[in-house]
Amino acid sequence: MRVAIIGAGVIGLSTALCIHEQYHSLVPSLELEVYADRYTPHTTSDGAAGLWQPYLSDHGNLQETLWNKETFDYLLGHLGSPAAKEMGLFLISGYNLFTQPVPDPSWKNIVLGFRNLTAKELELFPGYSYGWFNTALMLECRSYLPWLTNRLTQRGVKFFHKKVESFQEVSGDGVDVVINCTGVRAGELQPDPELQPGRGQVIKVLAPWVKHFIITHDIESGIYNSPYIIPGSEFTVLGGIYQHGNWSEENSAQDHKTIWENCCRLLPALQKAKIVQEWSGLRPARPWVRLERETVRHGHLQAEVIHNYGHGGFGITIHWGCAMAAARLFGSILQEKKGASPPQPRL
Amino acid sequence: MAAPKVAVVGAGVIGLSTALCITETCPSCSVTVLSDQFSPNTTSDVAAGMLIPHTYPGTPIHVQKQWFKETFTYLFAISNSAEASEAGIHLVSGWQVFKNTPKEELPFWSDVVLGFRPMSEAELQKFPQHRFGQAFTTLKCDCPPYLLWLEKRLKATGVQMYTRKVADLWELHSEYNVVVNCAGIGAHQLVGDEKLFPIRGQVLKVHAPWVKNFIRDGDGLTYIYPGIHRVTLGGTREKGNWSLSPDPGTTKDIFDRCCSLEPSLRGAQDIQVKVGLRPTRRCVRLQREVLSQGGVKLLVVHNYGHGSGGFSVHRGTAKEAAHLVGECTAALQGSSSRAKL
């Protein structure tokens, strides 16, 4: 049985791993293939700082909150393992700052040690009158994606450097199931007006004295349009740009200025930090994640597709829960194929 | 009288911060720092510089708390300023974990550090051998940066600094009006203080930049303190041991203990080993003394014996020492004006 995963960001690679882990012993003929035109370090995932943190509100989307929790617990379980360093996984504490009191987030009991900030702590952040402190996780994709790639390679998964133009292209080639993890460009395979780029820009600096993440929020301007500072294992990421509908992957001088001035105001010592890199990426934004099966027909032929895209700015945060959900969908496809009598002619 | 000449003996965190406080409280004083060692070769350079106080059995708690609060407030302001990275001062959060619940669940400094609270069950799961813990955010003074920053501030105010081994405070009586003794463990020999003894500490300084939180075992023996460039892994507390040579068996033991608290440390690179002698006393010797020899007087202010709590109380004790220096110079003014009559 051939399964093609399109997309090699955090979603594509983790979904591939999850499916292989769960089904390779049940389906001896299982062959997984990854198709992507961009691999690490050139995926959207690679540009992300890697902080596990969902948006402030899940808009009643309990499904997504559950997937976030599954991801956090899965990663937490790997913290003490020898693989943690190679995965780019570590604990980190930090601050979420607001200009007014806000309700506690859906994830307050998922992270460790969630609490409100004390008055003295707020003195550190003039202009902010309310906030949270908690310990969460970092998962740096420039380590995690190579780690996933190694695990997949060990398992015999094949990788192809190729831009897939249609589902039919792979299914017509004899692939039984297609897993669509194409992120922001999913619309090129199948139009999806709900999917829009949420353009972000970040500045990577050397600021090793910063040990906490600091994420500010401006309810008016919306998520990620307010400065944030996220220290990684080597660089500190400065950000605070979210432009809905902007497809440009070019760095903008105006955005650079916005990020730099706002972050230096937040942490004056950053003025001394050395700038190492600048990067822009497109968050695959959608009102909710598209995680569902679809039978794609072309003439009298059909193929099973599992969509797993639209994770916005919380792909790393939610990836494993989604990978497991996609694996369950894959399982149901297997069930049906077992029960099905004459196999359908493939596209 | 002409500008009082003050010599500060010692250039660790106590000597330098005391010299700085003296320039602040006595702008007319001429201050000189004399030491046989400067950063990076002082005891302070070995320490992690964490603001987690040690309790001195011989000092009233309210005094220790005042010293700590003074120090914390001072460093908090620096950490929040543009100078933070140059001064090596940064905030760090983490956990102090106990295998057995401590008698005193709330240490005297719990309301000085930030966000102090007991650890949650979920947080304790990361430490299966420990049953109780405290989470808080405190400050860290990285050395050499902090000492170099103090030296820079001192030079800017005109303070001279000389490498010189002072074997006897009397050597200084002809050149200086007041001598401030911040010799740390050196005071054992310098002023013959038998109550001062070393508590030897061996530490490892490793490259493990993914470690962002501190972890300390409440027994004080095992700790992981992430600094700007290196993580300090500790340690030992060997009373009366004067040896400054690293012990390889101890290195392995420290590394293993720290890895059991934080397994990812197995991947740490470039392990450097350092040894420091904590200048330990029942209480910090922070007092004036008038030495007399053949009719000649020497005014001395002692500020040494901070043991493992040097960084935690340095600014508080420096200010008190500067105040005592002020008393000395006032006394000198008084006697010199009397002499003119």
Side-chain angles (χ1 to χ4, degrees):
Chain A
M1 164 172 257
R2 283 176 63 202
V3 178
I5 294 98
I6 314 178
V10 66
I11 300 300
L13 297 185
S14 59
T15 303
L17 185 64
C18 195
I19 288 177
H20 198 274
E21 278 178 351
Q22 288 189 23
Y23 295 104
H24 83 280
S25 55
L26 297 172
V27 186
S29 66
L30 187 65
E31 276 174 34
L32 257 51
E33 297 155 18
V34 175
Y35 293 83
D37 59 355
R38 294 197 207 179
Y39 282 87
T40 181
H42 305 294
T43 71
T44 307
S45 308
D46 288 287
L51 178 66
W52 187 101
Q53 184 166 301
Y55 289 178
L56 296 186
S57 166
D58 60 9
H59 301 294
N61 207 322
L62 293 178
Q63 180 84 276
E64 289 185 3
T65 301
L66 186 62
W67 289 336
N68 288 333
K69 177 174 163 51
E70 287 174 338
T71 307
F72 192 88
D73 291 344
Y74 168 75
L75 293 173
L76 199 63
H78 274 78
L79 254 192
S81 83
K85 184 191 172 192
E86 209 193 321
M87 285 166 81
L89 176 66
F90 53 93
L91 279 174
I92 188 169
S93 303
Y95 306 92
N96 276 276
L97 303 171
F98 306 88
T99 52
Q100 65 199 60
V102 293
D104 290 346
S106 61
W107 40 270
K108 68 181 268 204
N109 293 320
I110 301 175
V111 295
L112 302 176
F114 181 95
R115 62 173 174 82
N116 287 344
L117 292 180
T118 63
K120 204 154 136 209
E121 287 174 307
L122 284 165
E123 279 175 36
L124 286 165
F125 311 111
Y128 296 95
S129 57
Y130 188 82
W132 308 325
F133 181 93
N134 66 267
T135 301
L137 292 164
M138 283 284 284
L139 184 63
E140 294 182 314
C141 279
R142 64 194 181 96
S143 297
Y144 189 49
L145 297 195
W147 183 83
L148 285 169
T149 306
N150 287 339
R151 301 282 81 67
L152 289 167
T153 306
Q154 275 170 10
R155 287 165 168 275
V157 174
K158 305 258 184 313
F159 292 85
F160 299 92
H161 202 105
K162 186 178 175 179
K163 184 174 163 77
V164 172
E165 306 284 2
S166 68
F167 293 125
Q168 292 81 344
E169 194 185 313
V170 281
S171 58
D173 190 40
V175 164
D176 301 278
V177 182
V178 181
I179 324 273
N180 177 16
C181 305
T182 49
V184 75
R185 288 175 290 143
E188 291 176 23
L189 281 178
Q190 186 188 87
D192 182 351
E194 311 258 46
L195 178 70
Q196 291 287 316
R199 183 182 171 280
Q201 185 165 319
V202 294
I203 306 173
K204 284 195 181 142
V205 303
L206 280 174
W209 65 89
V210 179
K211 304 293 181 191
H212 298 93
F213 62 80
I214 303 171
I215 311 199
T216 67
H217 301 268
D218 181 343
I219 307 297
E220 316 282 297
S221 29
I223 191 87
Y224 298 133
N225 251 335
S226 194
Y228 61 80
I229 298 165
I230 301 176
S233 62
E234 207 179 335
F235 307 114
T236 297
V237 176
L238 311 182
I241 300 290
Y242 189 107
Q243 294 153 351
H244 202 76
N246 186 346
W247 281 97
S248 170
E249 287 180 82
E250 300 289 309
N251 293 322
S252 139
Q254 177 57 53
D255 290 340
H256 172 96
K257 191 160 179 283
T258 303
I259 297 167
W260 186 256
E261 287 177 3
N262 287 342
C263 288
C264 285
R265 191 176 312 123
L266 196 49
L267 265 194
L270 282 176
Q271 290 161 54
K272 307 261 169 77
K274 182 171 167 217
I275 295 176
V276 167
Q277 201 190 44
E278 193 120 9
W279 179 88
S280 304
L282 309 175
R283 301 173 184 88
R286 213 173 176 275
W288 56 87
V289 175
R290 186 176 186 200
L291 184 36
E292 62 190 5
R293 275 176 64 178
E294 187 183 4
T295 306
V296 167
R297 287 166 223 282
H298 190 78
H300 58 283
L301 305 171
Q302 66 184 44
E304 292 305 314
V305 177
I306 298 174
H307 298 286
N308 186 6
Y309 69 84
H311 305 80
F314 51 90
I316 290 162
T317 299
I318 204 171
H319 82 277
W320 193 252
C322 288
M324 294 206 289
R328 285 192 290 276
L329 289 176
F330 181 75
S332 65
I333 294 174
L334 285 181
Q335 279 289 87
E336 287 163 17
K337 285 201 188 290
K338 262 191 180 161
S341 25
Q344 295 284 354
R346 287 198 229 92
L347 279 169
Chain B
M1 89 186 262
K5 296 210 277 291
V6 181
V8 175
V9 178
V13 68
I14 301 302
L16 297 182
S17 58
T18 302
L20 193 61
C21 280
I22 295 168
T23 65
E24 290 166 11
T25 56
C26 179
S28 63
C29 284
S30 156
V31 181
T32 306
V33 174
L34 306 169
S35 181
D36 63 348
Q37 301 293 350
F38 282 81
S39 180
N41 298 313
T42 70
T43 305
S44 304
D45 290 290
V46 180
M50 287 291 286
L51 257 67
I52 299 178
H54 165 78
T55 303
Y56 301 103
T59 305
I61 293 291
H62 76 272
V63 172
Q64 300 186 48
K65 187 168 177 176
Q66 182 52 33
W67 287 342
F68 180 56
K69 197 160 177 209
E70 187 111 52
T71 306
F72 196 92
T73 304
Y74 172 72
L75 295 173
F76 186 75
I78 299 172
S79 80
N80 212 9
S81 77
E83 299 204 56
S85 57
E86 198 197 330
I89 309 292
H90 58 98
L91 283 173
V92 59
S93 298
W95 306 283
Q96 178 167 236
V97 291
F98 299 83
K99 289 188 169 129
N100 302 298
T101 310
K103 294 186 308 258
E104 195 191 54
E105 282 198 17
L106 270 188
F108 73 81
W109 43 267
S110 63
D111 60 344
V112 178
V113 298
L114 305 174
F116 184 98
R117 60 174 170 81
M119 280 166 75
S120 63
E121 279 305 314
E123 286 173 303
L124 275 166
Q125 279 183 21
K126 193 170 129 55
F127 306 102
Q129 292 171 350
H130 295 77
R131 292 156 53 180
F132 176 80
Q134 299 154 341
F136 57 95
T137 301
T138 188
L139 291 158
K140 187 177 189 298
C141 299
D142 269 40
C143 286
Y146 185 52
L147 297 188
L148 295 177
W149 181 80
L150 286 171
E151 285 179 25
K152 189 173 161 186
R153 301 268 313 263
L154 288 168
K155 282 183 189 144
T157 64
V159 171
Q160 304 284 327
M161 292 185 276
Y162 299 107
T163 302
R164 174 176 166 176
K165 173 131 181 103
V166 176
D168 189 324
L169 293 183
W170 279 105
E171 283 172 31
L172 308 173
H173 89 275
S174 58
E175 302 162 70
Y176 300 97
N177 307 110
V178 182
V179 174
V180 188
N181 172 16
C182 302
I185 194 65
H188 181 86
Q189 206 174 34
L190 182 59
V191 296
D193 185 345
E194 295 292 315
K195 296 192 196 135
L196 178 74
F197 57 95
I199 294 188
R200 180 184 183 280
Q202 184 162 318
V203 293
L204 313 183
K205 301 219 175 189
V206 309
H207 183 74
W210 61 88
V211 176
K212 306 287 186 193
N213 292 98
F214 72 81
I215 305 171
R216 178 181 202 270
D217 191 310
D219 68 8
L221 282 176
T222 307
Y223 49 82
I224 297 162
Y225 293 143
I228 295 175
H229 297 293
R230 304 197 143 252
V231 183
T232 300
L233 308 185
T236 65
R237 290 183 194 272
E238 302 156 87
K239 202 167 156 180
N241 186 340
W242 286 90
S243 169
L244 282 169
S245 309
D247 177 75
T250 302
T251 296
K252 184 179 183 322
D253 179 58
I254 293 170
F255 191 69
D256 288 341
R257 281 189 275 123
C258 288
C259 288
S260 77
L261 276 185
E262 177 52 70
S264 70
L265 283 171
R266 288 276 164 210
Q269 301 283 307
D270 190 25
I271 297 174
Q272 293 172 1
V273 189
K274 300 214 180 285
V275 178
L277 306 177
R278 299 174 184 85
T280 313
R281 240 174 151 267
R282 276 199 92 241
C283 61
V284 175
R285 188 175 183 200
L286 186 39
Q287 62 187 186
R288 285 171 60 186
E289 191 182 9
V290 181
L291 299 181
S292 256
Q293 212 180 70
V296 187
K297 288 196 185 354
L298 178 60
L299 300 185
V300 177
V301 172
H302 296 287
N303 187 10
Y304 69 86
H306 299 72
S308 54
F311 280 90
S312 298
V313 298
H314 75 274
R315 177 79 181 175
T317 56
K319 285 189 79 165
E320 202 172 306
H323 180 78
L324 294 175
V325 169
E327 287 181 5
C328 291
T329 55
L332 285 170
Q333 302 275 26
S335 61
S336 76
S337 48
R338 277 198 295 280
K340 287 202 191 80
L341 281 174

